[in-house]
């Protein structure tokens, strides 16, 4: 019976070819797995540019605006003719209105300021120098609104036709809140108020506590021009503020007790140490000499570790 003999001259090349095929197949599987992992990470990871941002914590407050204002009174009855527009700035002694009746009278501005026809009956009550003797709770309940005078209208002797508001003087805001945060800001402390997307910065002149409520008297010298015509406003008092390089709390990764974040450098994940300075509403502010707006960090790092390589989409 003939025996089949394997010739070494044929066996060795066959083994070499088989080994190459197995290696090629293994490399293909490894590349496919690496590509799949990179693709999965690309969809799972949230890579963001570091941003210098700000978030605030606020409480709603109701405010009364207290200004340096002087009423203008009709000295005689007759037909009113306004010589200036509502909101126009006047110098001292500028003519602002004429009253034509049995006798004709010209009215002049008693002070420099902005002419305003929005009268509410609180002008003689809310005087900045007399607030310490006022029951502001009672004042807030007064809802009087006087008729707004117009050119051509008949006015009576003694009727108020407008006022001049000194908009170059500081504005006082009496703000009242419920469930006030503790502790109360001290007199002289800086406070920030948000009004319809605008920020007012002032200093506390007085703090009042009564019946579980708190009121602050705040003075500000920089305010929007339209506040000259308003008395009551709804605002937000900023109780806490967080500003700086802000990242989600979940972006912080500890290594050997040191906080840090994962950043992407040339498609490779690297852990860098940072200092956490404060936190608010799920965000933390971080510091570090290597932080800038060009840094890309991973906000959800649970699926990566130091040295992980990302695909082109990472």
């Amino acid at each position: 019976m003939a025996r089949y003999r394997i010739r070494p001259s044929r066996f060795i090349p066959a083994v070499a070819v088989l080994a190459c095929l197995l290696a090629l197949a293994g490399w293909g599987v490894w590349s496919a797995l690496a590509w799949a992992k990179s693709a999965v990470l690309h969809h799972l990871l949230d890579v963001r540019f570091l941003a210098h941002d700000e978030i605030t914590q606020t409480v709603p407050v109701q405010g009364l605006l207290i200004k340096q204002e002087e009423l203008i009174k009709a000295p005689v009855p007759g037909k009113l003719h306004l010589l200036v527009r509502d909101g126009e700035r006047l110098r001292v002694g500028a003519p602002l209105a004429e009253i034509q009746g049995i006798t004709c009278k010209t009215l002049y501005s008693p002070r420099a300021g902005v002419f305003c026809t929005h009268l509410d009956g609180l002008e003689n009550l809310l005087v900045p120098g007399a607030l310490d003797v006022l029951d502001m709770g009672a004042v807030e309940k007064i809802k009087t609104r006087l008729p707004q005078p117009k050119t051509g209208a008949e006015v009576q002797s003694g009727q108020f036709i407008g006022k001049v508001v000194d908009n170059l003087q500081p504005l006082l805001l009496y703000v009242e809140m419920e469930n006030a945060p503790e502790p109360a800001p001290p007199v002289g402390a800086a406070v920030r108020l948000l009004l319809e997307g605008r920020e007012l910065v002032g200093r506390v002149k007085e703090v009042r506590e009564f019946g579980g409520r708190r009121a602050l008297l705040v003075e500000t010298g920089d305010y929007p021009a339209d506040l000259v015509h308003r008395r009551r406003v709804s605002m937000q008092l900023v109780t806490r503020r967080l500003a700086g390089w802000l990242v989600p709390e979940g972006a912080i990764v500890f290594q050997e007790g040191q906080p840090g974040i994962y950043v992407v450098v040339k498609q490779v994940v690297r852990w860098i140490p940072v200092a956490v300075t404060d936190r608010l509403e799920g965000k933390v502010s971080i510091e570090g000499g290597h932080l800038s707006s060009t840094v890309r960090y991973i906000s959800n790092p649970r699926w990566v570790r130091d040295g992980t390589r990302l695909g082109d989409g990472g």
Side-chain angles (χ1 to χ4, degrees):
M1 185 175 185
R3 286 186 174 183
Y4 178 75
R5 298 176 62 188
I6 298 176
R7 297 178 182 178
S9 60
R10 296 181 178 178
F11 176 72
I12 293 175
V15 171
V17 171
L18 181 60
C20 289
L21 291 175
L22 290 174
L24 185 61
W27 178 83
V29 171
W30 179 86
S31 298
L33 290 175
W35 178 86
K37 178 182 178 182
S38 177
V40 170
L41 286 177
H42 171 56
H43 289 288
L44 290 179
L45 296 181
D46 184 10
V47 181
R48 310 177 183 178
F49 280 101
L50 199 60
H52 204 277
D53 205 354
E54 174 183 326
I55 57 175
T56 57
Q57 189 175 69
T58 63
V59 295
V61 295
Q62 299 297 318
L64 279 176
L65 307 182
I66 303 161
K67 300 154 281 189
Q68 295 282 356
E69 50 195 356
E70 189 164 341
L71 288 165
I72 309 297
K73 186 185 297 185
V76 294
K79 183 175 290 186
L80 174 67
H81 291 276
L82 293 175
L83 304 177
V84 295
R85 299 184 304 275
D86 187 52
E88 184 174 338
R89 179 161 178 81
L90 306 175
R91 66 182 187 278
V92 177
L96 58 83
E98 290 180 348
I99 298 178
Q100 298 177 353
I102 298 175
T103 58
C104 294
K105 289 286 185 179
T106 300
L107 283 67
Y108 301 91
S109 177
R111 65 192 309 162
V114 174
F115 181 65
C116 176
T117 58
H118 301 83
L119 306 177
D120 55 23
L122 298 178
E123 288 81 7
N124 287 330
L125 188 60
L126 290 177
V127 180
L131 297 179
D132 55 338
V133 298
L134 279 180
D135 180 356
M136 296 300 294
V139 171
E140 284 191 310
K141 297 176 182 178
I142 300 175
K143 301 295 183 181
T144 302
R145 178 170 292 275
L146 302 180
Q148 184 172 336
K150 297 180 180 180
T151 291
E154 293 288 338
V155 295
Q156 301 300 316
S157 177
Q159 181 178 338
F160 295 121
I161 66 167
K163 59 186 176 182
V164 179
V165 183
D166 189 347
N167 64 326
L168 299 183
Q169 291 295 317
L171 176 70
L172 291 176
L173 301 97
Y174 179 84
V175 296
E176 191 172 299
M177 70 201 82
E178 296 180 351
N179 303 316
E182 298 295 341
V187 173
V191 293
R192 302 166 73 217
L193 293 156
L194 304 180
L195 172 64
E196 299 168 356
R198 299 171 292 186
E199 180 180 274
L200 303 179
V201 180
R203 293 200 172 274
V204 177
K205 301 285 289 183
E206 185 181 341
V207 180
R208 299 183 183 182
E209 305 276 359
F210 50 92
R213 299 167 66 88
R214 177 183 298 156
L216 304 176
L217 187 62
V218 178
E219 181 181 85
T220 178
D222 186 15
Y223 52 91
D226 64 294
L227 291 189
V228 167
H229 305 284
R230 301 170 67 176
R231 180 70 71 188
R232 291 178 168 86
V233 291
S234 297
M235 298 177 286
Q236 298 286 324
L237 173 68
V238 177
T239 56
R240 284 196 63 196
R241 173 176 175 265
L242 186 65
W245 299 114
L246 303 187
V247 299
E249 288 185 5
I252 301 299
V253 179
F254 285 86
Q255 290 192 9
E256 298 180 355
Q258 168 70 44
I261 58 174
Y262 280 134
V263 299
V264 180
V265 182
K266 296 181 179 179
Q267 301 309 116
V268 177
V269 177
R270 297 297 184 197
W271 180 87
I272 60 173
V274 297
V276 177
T277 59
D278 201 358
R279 65 188 65 221
L280 178 64
E281 296 183 359
K283 293 289 187 73
V284 297
S285 61
I286 59 177
E287 292 181 352
H290 37 263
L291 303 181
S292 72
S293 58
T294 62
V295 171
R296 293 193 303 160
Y297 76 97
I298 300 174
S299 67
N300 55 343
R302 58 181 297 184
W303 293 287
V304 296
R305 57 186 176 182
D306 198 24
T308 298
R309 181 172 292 277
L310 304 178
D312 293 337

